[in-house]
């Protein structure tokens, strides 16, 4: 156990963020660099090393949280990093981006603020990179088997790293010009600087994983031919089809899917453009969708110099406390103030967009909405509440409907889909096609990075067993697992 009295003597303290006025002028991560390490050992010491650590179940990866809290408390960073990597290939991603369902399940959280598990995780891995403890782990022997991974998001990267380390020869195919999936194009730099992806890719290259960018399977290489060329295939192609809003005026200029807008801003940070082809500068911006993708649009619009930013959500405002239907240790729906929300803008709940209006050049100028309420379980417009708000840039951040089928990937492989339109899989993450597996959002639907890594690791075990008849690789989850989390 870390500090036997830590939870009594130390209060919860989280990572400090830079002043809003400073951080909206740049794209660096919002946190004060180096502010976590001086406080983190005492924070780790708040862990009670519970007999039944519910945080294990809260984390889809089954991270060994009390073990690495103990090492972090003792400042044995090398041992902490080893335990962290036992269950998580990329703790620098989850330590920055995970909504931390583990903390909702922390036993201390029953009547006190939970242990800052996510902050401990990121401190351990950042320290490990600083001290050179993260080294390539090339396999001792090669199996002679080959695997193609389609998609280079967290699921594809986790599957590829596990399979490479197991001795298989792995090539990752990515249709974008850079590796990383939504970590690279989607998630803004201020939430995670891309240096963290780049150095993992260097590690993976040194271990033997091959990367092929700007190759779209189904379009550039026929899926069935790929299957013949490799002994096994992992589909980690994400759920990248955005949900649309088919209301009058949708065709006006200035109305974009969030995933048309955000990647262009990422590309500015990568040095591809000086100014983004779609920018919020000087505009009244409306973001439709109250989730994380919407928050990323809000933060991006602030940094681009928007005149105003309004975020609309059709559902009512969530509560500040757990409601009785979401008791500890489940992951509750709570009102969240993300770093982007701290930076300004207005959030409007219980509203639905009726139509857009534009000027004579076809550019959007206003968004018309109505308030809505639940009547007989259905969201219903409230008469007399219609109004218009100025809108010169609108981003649609209303979720995703499934994996992209336009390139023929699904049809060429002959993949079966489940009732939600995702690629169907069995307990080993195998699809209906022999030797073809699926991991991450492509099989699960749009979810979280922690689930993508967990599925990538589990699918790798399924592939390893398929190729060799047995596997020593861990399988944190089964496709149907929801654990205690989102
Ligand atoms: C804007 C945004 C912000 C988010 N923020 C968070 C967050 O803060 N925390 C969190 O936990 N989750 C977040 N998520 C969700 C999270 O990013 C995803 O759940 C996760 O990235 C899924 O990983 P994946 O590997 O399954 O797919 P993806 O990351 O979507 O990667 C799939 C990759 O496959 C490639 N691909 C697709 N088809 C082909 C093909 N035919 N050939 C070759 N390549 C192909 C795509 O180009 C893409 O690079 C966010 C999502 C979005 C959209
Ligand atoms: S990956 Fe997420 S759920 Fe797991 S320990 Fe880290 S912050 Fe918690």
């Amino acid at each position: 156990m870390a500090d036997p009295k830590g939870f009594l003597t130390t209060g919860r303290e989280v990572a400090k963020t830079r002043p809003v006025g400073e951080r909206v002028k740049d794209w660096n991560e919002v946190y004060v660099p180096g502010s976590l390490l001086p406080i983190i050992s005492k924070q780790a010491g708040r862990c009670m090393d519970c007999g039944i650590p519910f945080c294990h179940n809260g984390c889809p990866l089954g991270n060994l949280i009390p073990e690495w809290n103990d090492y972090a408390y003792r400042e044995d960073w090398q041992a902490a990093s080893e335990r962290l990597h036992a269950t998580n290939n990329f703790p620098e991603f989850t330590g920055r981006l995970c909504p931390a369902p583990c903390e909702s399940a922390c036993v201390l959280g029953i009547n006190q603020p939970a242990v800052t598990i996510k902050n401990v995780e990121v401190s351990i891995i950042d320290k490990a990179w600083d001290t050179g403890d993260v080294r390539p782990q090339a396999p001792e022997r090669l199996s002679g088997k080959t695997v193609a991974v389609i998609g280079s998001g967290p699921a594809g990267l986790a599957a590829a790293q596990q399979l490479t380390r197991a001795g298989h020869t792995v090539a990752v195919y990515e249709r974008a010009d850079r590796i990383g999936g939504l970590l690279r194009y989607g998630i803004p730099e201020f939430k995670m600087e891309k240096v963290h992806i780049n150095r993992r890719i260097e590690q993976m290259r040194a271990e033997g994983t091959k990367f092929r960018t700007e190759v779209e399977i189904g379009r550039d290489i026929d899926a069935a031919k790929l299957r013949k060329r490799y002994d096994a295939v992992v589909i980690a192609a994400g759920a990248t089809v955005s949900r649309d809003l088919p209301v009058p005026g949708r065709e006006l200029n200035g109305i974009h899917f969030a995933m048309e807008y955000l990647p262009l801003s990422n590309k500015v940070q990568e040095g591809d453009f000086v100014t983004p082809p779609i920018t919020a500068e000087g505009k009244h911006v409306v973001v439709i969708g109250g989730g994380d993708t919407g928050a990323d649009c809000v933060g991006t619009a602030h940094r681009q110099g928007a005149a105003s930013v309004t975020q609309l959500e059709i559902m009512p405002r969530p509560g500040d406390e757990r409601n009785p239907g979401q008791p500890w240790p489940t992951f509750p729906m709570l009102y969240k103030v993300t770093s982007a929300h701290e930076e300004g803008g207005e959030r409007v709940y219980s509203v639905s967009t009726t139509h857009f209006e534009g000027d004579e050049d076809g550019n959007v100028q206003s968004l018309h909405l109505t308030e809505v309420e639940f009547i007989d379980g259905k969201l219903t417009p409230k008469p007399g509440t219609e109004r218009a708000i100025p809108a010169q840039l609108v981003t649609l951040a209303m979720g995703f409907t499934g994996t992209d089928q336009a390139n023929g990937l699904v049809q060429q492989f002959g993949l079966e889909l489940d009732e939600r339109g995702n690629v169907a899989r069995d307990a080993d993450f195998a699809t209906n096609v022999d030797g073809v597996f699926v991991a991450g959002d492509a099989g699960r639907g749009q979810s979280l990075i922690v689930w993508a890594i967990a599925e990538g690791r589990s699918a790798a075990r399924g592939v390893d067993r398929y190729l060799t008849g047995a596997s020593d690789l861990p399988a944190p989850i089964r496709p149907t697992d929801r654990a205690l989390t989102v």
Side-chain angles (χ1 to χ4, degrees):
M1 180 169 180
D3 178 357
K5 292 192 180 152
F7 67 98
L8 296 172
T9 56
T10 307
R12 176 178 160 111
E13 208 180 327
V14 293
K16 287 191 181 50
T17 48
R18 295 186 290 131
V20 167
E22 174 193 314
R23 68 189 199 228
V24 292
K25 295 198 191 100
D26 64 44
W27 293 87
N28 300 336
E29 284 177 13
V30 296
Y31 298 105
V32 178
S35 66
L36 210 43
L37 207 55
I39 61 163
I40 208 66
S41 292
K42 278 197 94 173
Q43 288 300 311
R46 296 182 69 236
C47 177
M48 302 189 293
D49 191 16
C50 308
I52 299 173
F54 279 77
C55 53
H56 278 197
N57 252 42
C59 174
L61 284 159
N63 272 349
L64 306 168
I65 296 161
E67 292 186 34
W68 39 259
N69 275 337
D70 183 44
Y71 287 123
Y73 172 67
R74 291 168 209 287
E75 299 193 22
D76 185 347
W77 299 109
Q78 205 175 3
S81 168
E82 185 271 316
R83 296 316 286 147
L84 187 53
H85 281 102
T87 54
N88 188 354
N89 297 65
F90 313 121
E92 62 275 40
F93 304 161
T94 46
R96 285 179 168 76
L97 298 167
C98 189
C102 54
E103 293 184 19
S104 305
C106 171
V107 176
L108 192 53
I110 296 175
N111 63 353
Q112 281 196 49
V115 175
T116 55
I117 298 170
K118 177 175 159 178
N119 283 180
V120 178
E121 180 174 31
V122 81
S123 303
I124 296 169
I125 182 59
D126 284 357
K127 180 88 182 165
W129 279 108
D130 287 350
T131 53
D133 277 338
V134 185
R135 297 186 197 91
Q137 296 174 32
E140 283 170 12
R141 279 184 296 122
L142 291 180
S143 67
K145 303 285 185 189
T146 57
V147 184
V149 175
I150 305 173
S152 68
L157 292 179
Q161 186 166 59
Q162 293 294 94
L163 288 164
T164 302
R165 288 178 176 177
H168 308 304
T169 301
V170 180
V172 178
Y173 288 89
E174 170 56 58
R175 66 182 173 188
D177 57 351
R178 290 185 178 89
I179 296 296
L182 291 173
L183 297 167
R184 172 81 61 186
Y185 291 134
I187 291 172
E189 198 86 6
F190 59 80
K191 269 171 59 178
M192 187 181 76
E193 291 169 15
K194 307 308 169 195
V195 61
H196 301 294
I197 313 174
N198 297 343
R199 57 188 180 184
R200 269 300 168 186
I201 293 165
E202 281 317 303
Q203 182 203 34
M204 290 179 68
R205 281 208 170 97
E207 290 170 353
T209 306
K210 311 265 184 287
F211 292 98
R212 311 263 183 267
T213 52
E214 297 184 272
V215 183
E216 183 161 8
I217 304 302
R219 209 178 298 255
D220 300 317
I221 299 180
D222 182 84
K225 275 195 197 134
L226 188 85
R227 173 67 195 96
K228 285 207 188 84
R229 206 191 287 173
Y230 288 89
D231 296 313
V233 173
V234 179
I235 296 173
T240 55
V241 181
S242 303
R243 180 167 289 116
D244 208 344
L245 182 64
V247 297
R250 167 65 181 89
E251 71 290 349
L252 290 166
N253 302 323
I255 304 174
H256 303 277
F257 288 121
M259 284 305 293
E260 290 167 344
Y261 171 63
L262 293 171
L264 293 174
S265 173
N266 297 128
K267 280 179 163 281
V268 174
Q269 312 317 312
E270 297 281 359
D272 295 349
F273 305 114
V274 178
T275 49
I278 303 172
T279 178
E281 191 176 356
K283 294 178 184 160
H284 294 292
V285 178
V286 181
V287 177
I288 304 181
D292 282 344
T293 305
D296 290 350
C297 293
V298 170
T300 300
H302 283 138
R303 280 164 183 73
Q304 291 177 343
S308 71
V309 185
T310 309
Q311 188 177 12
L312 307 181
E313 169 57 49
I314 196 165
M315 299 298 286
R317 180 192 183 282
D320 296 315
E321 305 289 338
R322 285 180 186 274
N323 75 41
Q326 298 172 331
W328 178 90
T330 60
F331 187 76
M333 286 292 293
L334 294 178
Y335 181 71
K336 262 202 313 190
V337 182
T338 68
S339 71
H341 295 122
E342 287 169 5
E343 292 161 7
E346 192 192 354
R347 285 197 268 180
V348 185
Y349 288 91
S350 299
V351 289
S352 175
T353 303
T354 56
H355 62 284
F356 301 102
E357 267 180 5
D359 59 18
E360 60 279 9
D361 296 324
N363 300 316
V364 66
Q365 292 299 325
S366 62
L367 177 151
H368 293 246
L369 55 79
T370 173
E371 290 176 20
V372 290
E373 62 187 338
F374 276 106
I375 297 182
D376 296 333
K378 269 180 68 182
L379 278 168
T380 313
K382 274 193 200 173
T385 60
E386 298 83 8
R387 63 182 192 272
I389 55 174
Q392 288 138 10
L393 172 66
V394 177
T395 64
L396 307 179
M398 301 174 307
F400 298 83
T401 57
T403 203
D404 190 354
Q405 295 186 40
N407 51 31
L409 183 78
V410 169
Q411 299 80 351
Q412 289 173 21
F413 273 124
L415 294 169
E416 275 173 16
L417 302 178
D418 65 17
E419 65 286 353
R420 293 185 306 142
N422 303 313
V423 179
R425 63 270 176 91
D426 69 10
D428 272 339
F429 290 82
T431 68
N432 61 306
V433 182
D434 182 51
V436 179
F437 294 72
V438 63
D441 285 1
R444 188 177 193 85
Q446 183 76 211
S447 179
L448 293 175
I449 289 154
V450 62
W451 279 110
I453 299 173
E455 291 214 354
R457 288 170 67 84
S458 296
R461 180 184 161 92
V463 173
D464 194 29
R465 272 171 36 142
Y466 171 80
L467 294 175
T468 66
S471 181
D472 292 332
L473 292 175
I477 52 164
R478 295 159 65 86
T480 47
D481 280 354
R482 293 250 158 216
L484 297 166
T485 90
V486 275

